[in-house]
């Protein structure tokens, strides 16, 4: 950025120009010299400040920025720390006279000026401030804006230093109680071994090609005469597919995504393999893999990361096409013991028919949005609930903006 005169600089340059003109009219060489000196002072200060830019040449300053946590959820706060380091004596001299300002997306700053705490040492500057995530997405912080000036205070020049940091914001998540036995059922356990298996055999299974030999249970293998390996204690947990029918209306988009994400995380933390489908997820043709809870934070991040950039359908027909594609994925990739948790809007007759078929090979639970008071959509909501329940689904009516935990408890309790 080019240097800009301050108020003092503009006044000095204006007075100098006026003196040059006046001296020329009066034939006074002294007035001309004084005016030229004032103008040259402002121009020279601008050239000097531009030459000493902290963003370039060998005396530049280094900037490092960290954001903790990153990613974070909507509504959460993150601590931002900027470390400015001067590498040599000339850079330290420049650092002492710099003023700092940070740039941040309005989704992180709330459209307000950031209030930062600045700590200085002779060779470093630490800038710390807090941001709050207001919307799902990827938002930027930086670059850092430093303002430098000349000794006489007639010129100021801002400069961008350092790189831009990206902050990823997951949808808001509501902690939900563990699912009831009515929803998940009893996990299937594999008991292998003799006719009367011992307790050592209770969590064992036959060796399969590719199994880690470190998991072989040698004592039970010797007793049975064939290799047995320790099975994953959560391997019997039924897989869960969370199906998101994202609405075309912007008012319901973020709430629907938050509801689906909360359901997925609750089931993941309960020990179930979980995947998300619908709303553009899996549109590449690849069916998202089930994520296992044993992976811990990595599984949670892998589940939520695709939701950061998720864009809602532009029209109702597009939303219906996405839902139909997700239903086909469930039908072709299911193994017959899946649990399907669906966040839906009012469905057309064709979509209701396709979705109802899932209950032939999976246990279906649905939350159906009932937002519109228009007779046509209200009737479609009731028809959707009726069709799903007739096909064996557990279905509950919800409203956009309703507390997520209330929707969850209504679904578990079977209330309409």
């Amino acid at each position: 950025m080019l240097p800009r005169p301050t108020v003092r600089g503009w006044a000095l340059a204006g007075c100098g120009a006026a003196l040059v003109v006046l001296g020329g009219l009066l034939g006074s060489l002294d007035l001309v010299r004084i005016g030229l000196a004032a103008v040259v002072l402002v121009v020279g200060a601008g050239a000097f400040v531009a030459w000493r830019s902290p963003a370039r040449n060998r005396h530049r300053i280094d900037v490092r920025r960290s954001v903790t946590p990153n990613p974070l959820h909507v509504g959460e706060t993150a601590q931002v720390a900027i470390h400015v380091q001067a590498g040599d004596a000339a850079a330290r001299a420049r650092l002492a006279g710099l003023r700092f300002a940070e740039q941040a997306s309005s989704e992180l700053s709330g459209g307000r000026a950031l209030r930062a705490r600045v700590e200085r040492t002779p060779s470093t500057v630490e800038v710390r401030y807090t941001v709050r995530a207001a919307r799902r997405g990827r938002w930027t912080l930086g670059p850092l804006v430093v303002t430098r000036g000349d000794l006489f205070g007639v010129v100021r020049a801002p400069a961008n230093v350092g790189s831009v940091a990206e902050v990823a914001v997951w949808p808001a998540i509501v902690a939900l109680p563990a699912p009831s036995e009515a929803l998940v059922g009893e996990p299937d356990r594999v008991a292998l071994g003799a006719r009367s298996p011992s307790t050592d055999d209770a969590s064992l299974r036959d060796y399969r090609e590719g199994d880690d030999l470190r998991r072989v249970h040698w004592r039970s293998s010797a007793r049975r005469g064939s290799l047995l390996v320790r099975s994953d204690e959560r391997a019997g947990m039924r897989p869960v597919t969370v199906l998101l029918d994202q609405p075309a209306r912007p008012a319901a988009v973020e709430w629907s995504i938050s509801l689906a994400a909360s359901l997925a995380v609750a089931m993941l933390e309960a020990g179930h393999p979980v995947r998300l489908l619908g709303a553009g997820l899996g549109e590449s043709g690849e069916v998202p893999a089930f994520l296992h809870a044993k992976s811990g934070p990595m599984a949670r991040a892998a589940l939520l990361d695709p939701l950061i950039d998720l864009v809602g359908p532009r029209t109702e027909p597009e939303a219906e096409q996405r839902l139909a594609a997700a239903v086909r994925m469930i039908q072709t990739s299911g193994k017959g013991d899946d649990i399907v948790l669906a966040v839906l809007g009012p469905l057309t007759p064709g979509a209701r028919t396709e979705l109802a078929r899932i209950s032939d090979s999976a246990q279906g639970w649905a939350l159906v949005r009932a937002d519109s008071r228009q007779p046509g959509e209200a009737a479609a909501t009731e028809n959707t609930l009726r069709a799903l329940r007739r096909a064996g689904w557990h279905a509950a009516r919800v409203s956009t903006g309703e507390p997520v935990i209330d929707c969850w408890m209504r679904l578990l309790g079977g209330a309409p």
Side-chain angles (χ1 to χ4, degrees), residues 1 49-63 94 98 143-146 148 157-162:
M1 299 181 185
V49 169
W51 174 70
R52 286 175 58 89
S53 172
R56 59 178 183 268
N57 69 45
R58 61 191 181 92
H59 299 301
R60 66 184 181 187
I61 60 177
D62 296 319
V63 177
R94 298 181 185 184
L98 295 179
L144 185 67
V145 179
V146 296
R148 62 204 182 279
N160 294 333
V161 295

Side-chain angles (χ1 to χ4, degrees), residues 66-289:
S66 62
V67 183
T68 308
N70 187 18
L72 68 158
H73 292 282
V74 171
E76 292 182 345
T77 59
Q79 301 297 322
V80 183
I82 304 173
H83 181 78
V84 184
Q85 177 75 45
D88 54 29
R92 286 194 291 272
R94 298 181 185 184
L95 191 62
L98 295 179
R99 295 186 299 174
F100 299 92
E102 174 75 327
Q103 302 179 77
S105 300
S106 59
E107 290 82 2
L108 298 174
S109 66
R112 298 183 296 272
L114 299 172
R115 303 181 63 179
R117 186 179 71 233
V118 181
E119 298 177 358
R120 292 179 179 267
T121 67
S123 60
T124 63
V125 174
E126 292 282 348
V127 181
R128 299 181 183 274
Y129 62 94
T130 300
V131 294
R132 184 180 182 86
R135 285 183 56 196
R136 175 182 56 89
R138 300 182 189 273
W139 315 113
T140 58
L141 292 174
L144 185 67
V145 179
V146 296
T147 304
R148 62 204 182 279
D150 67 299
L151 181 63
F152 304 102
V154 297
V155 171
R156 296 286 182 191
N160 294 333
V161 295
S163 59
V164 175
E166 183 181 80
V167 180
V169 181
W170 288 328
I173 294 292
V174 178
L176 300 177
S180 66
E181 293 183 359
L183 188 152
V184 301
E186 289 294 331
D188 298 326
R189 296 295 181 181
V190 180
L192 300 174
R195 292 173 183 254
S196 300
S198 68
T199 54
D200 290 335
D201 298 324
S203 58
L204 302 178
R205 61 171 173 80
D206 286 318
Y207 174 82
R208 300 169 190 159
E209 185 178 355
D211 282 338
D212 190 347
L213 291 177
R214 291 174 295 183
R215 297 176 61 187
V216 173
H217 196 280
W218 296 106
R219 186 192 312 172
S220 297
S221 298
R223 183 169 57 250
R224 181 174 177 181
S226 61
L227 287 180
L228 297 173
V229 296
R230 298 179 182 88
S231 65
D232 187 346
E233 66 177 357
R234 296 183 183 268
M237 301 296 282
R238 300 174 65 182
V240 175
T241 297
V242 178
L243 176 62
L244 174 59
D245 172 28
Q246 192 174 350
R249 296 178 180 176
V253 168
E254 296 304 321
W255 180 84
S256 298
I257 293 176
S258 176
L259 174 57
S262 299
L263 295 175
V265 169
M267 300 303 289
L268 189 69
E269 293 179 347
H272 293 266
V274 177
R275 67 178 176 179
L276 271 164
L277 281 178
L281 300 167
E283 283 191 345
S284 62
E286 297 182 1
V287 180

Side-chain angles (χ1 to χ4, degrees), residues 240-381:
V240 175
T241 297
V242 178
L243 176 62
L244 174 59
D245 172 28
Q246 192 174 350
R249 296 178 180 176
V253 168
E254 296 304 321
W255 180 84
S256 298
I257 293 176
S258 176
L259 174 57
S262 299
L263 295 175
V265 169
M267 300 303 289
L268 189 69
E269 293 179 347
H272 293 266
V274 177
R275 67 178 176 179
L276 271 164
L277 281 178
L281 300 167
E283 283 191 345
S284 62
E286 297 182 1
V287 180
F290 284 99
L291 300 172
H292 203 287
K294 201 167 186 178
S295 301
M298 296 298 293
R300 180 187 174 105
L303 188 67
L304 295 174
D305 283 348
L307 297 175
I308 297 175
D309 303 310
L310 191 61
V311 179
R314 288 168 292 185
T315 62
E316 293 293 346
E318 182 182 349
E320 185 174 348
Q321 291 174 3
R322 290 184 174 187
L323 179 62
V327 171
R328 287 192 295 269
M329 287 184 184
I330 295 174
Q331 292 172 336
T332 56
S333 63
K335 297 181 179 179
D337 62 344
D338 293 17
I339 298 171
V340 177
L341 296 177
V343 178
L344 308 170
L347 303 178
T348 61
R352 293 197 296 265
T353 301
E354 290 295 323
L355 196 61
R357 293 174 182 170
I358 292 179
S359 60
D360 296 337
S361 58
Q363 182 181 356
W365 298 74
L367 293 166
V368 182
R369 293 184 301 269
D371 300 325
S372 177
R373 296 183 179 179
Q374 298 179 7
E377 291 197 15
T381 300

